[in-house]
Amino acid sequence: MSESIQTRRMYGHNYAVPGTYEVTMVVAERRPVFGEIVGSTSAGGERPRLMPSALGAAVINNEIPKIHDYYPMVDVWQVCLMPDHIHMIVRISRPLPQGKHLGIIIGAFKGGVSRAWWQLSAPASVASAAEHRAPLFKPNYNDHILMRDGQLDNWKRYLRDNPYRYMMRREYPDLFRRFLCITIGGVRFGAFGNMLLLRQPEKHRVFFHRRTDGLPTENTAFWCSESQRLLAAARSGDVLVTPGISECEKRIKNMALEQRL
């Protein structure tokens, strides 16, 4: 498949008009070319972050600014560079020029990063030049269209906490397991996470409907009081259990992770 062909998440959506998107691009074969995650999840340690490679620094300092330089109506609001992939929150503030859309912008960005990679890792022999010039990224990209209330803030937190989650999985690989079927309170679930936490006797169910009394739940007094109660319980050592489906469930999950609860 051609590198210029981009996969759109929502067919029928006009990607040339104003909108906000979370975009993810993955390196072919998941090679860690952008750097390494350093730091620790332990209390008092340096919070995990990416130590960029030469290519990672080129992406941050050169390639990302080019997006706004070429398209002044496009801003990159937030970036999370990981060893083998890139997350960006992109805002299109005005309609793009005729014939342009988000896929073309991302395709050009990926091409620029690939060229930087070729220059920084030029082979010593001409024989390996063809292999060297292969595209750096997997074909296509993935996008989320950020339209719902709270979605942007949730993705900003996700990008900010990504290195921490990466290091947590590295430091405690045996704690995070996948189960096709577990039973909690008589209900069967598929789950991924630290199942040892379920042995804690003090657990709180985090469950919110999307709407309460006709309003989005996050706009109600119930959300304000219940979110404070749940986080206070977690700070005291209790465990929160949630499917993380509704917007408020995701908010509680993200706030708890952000506070290392």
Side-chain angles (χ1 to χ4, degrees), residues 110-217:
K110 291 169 65 179
V113 176
S114 291
R115 286 188 291 275
W117 166 243
W118 299 336
Q119 293 169 4
L120 290 168
S121 58
S125 66
V126 176
S128 59
E131 180 181 351
H132 168 72
R133 299 282 290 186
L136 175 64
F137 291 95
K138 289 184 177 181
N140 310 317
Y141 70 95
N142 184 50
D143 72 82
H144 293 83
I145 306 170
L146 308 184
M147 297 185 292
R148 299 194 306 272
D149 288 344
Q151 221 178 355
L152 176 60
D153 289 339
N154 285 341
W155 273 105
K156 285 182 176 179
R157 281 191 292 268
Y158 180 87
L159 267 59
R160 185 173 63 247
D161 293 339
N162 218 12
Y164 183 87
R165 288 190 297 272
Y166 178 99
M167 187 60 72
M168 178 69 76
R169 290 193 296 271
R170 177 191 293 178
E171 292 178 342
Y172 305 103
D174 295 335
L175 290 183
F176 293 85
R177 302 173 60 192
R178 187 176 301 281
F179 290 83
L180 295 179
C181 183
I182 63 172
T183 301
I184 305 174
V187 180
R188 302 173 76 181
F189 298 91
F192 174 80
N194 182 357
M195 301 302 156
L196 294 177
L197 292 176
L198 296 176
R199 300 178 183 178
Q200 162 66 260
E202 297 298 331
K203 295 187 285 288
H204 297 264
R205 182 192 188 201
V206 180
F207 175 77
F208 293 93
H209 291 289
R210 295 186 186 277
R211 300 184 71 84
T212 300
D213 298 329
L215 296 173
T217 298

Side-chain angles (χ1 to χ4, degrees), residues 25-37 50-60 81-86 110 113-118 120-121 132 134-138 166:
M25 296 150 280
V26 180
V27 174
E29 301 176 3
R30 304 298 298 233
R31 289 171 290 174
V33 296
F34 298 127
E36 62 176 325
I37 302 296
L50 181 84
M51 178 70 72
S53 63
L55 178 62
V59 170
I60 294 169
L81 195 62
M82 297 294 287
D84 60 4
H85 63 279
I86 303 174
K110 291 169 65 179
V113 176
S114 291
R115 286 188 291 275
W117 166 243
W118 299 336
L120 290 168
S121 58
H132 168 72
L136 175 64
F137 291 95
K138 289 184 177 181
Y166 178 99

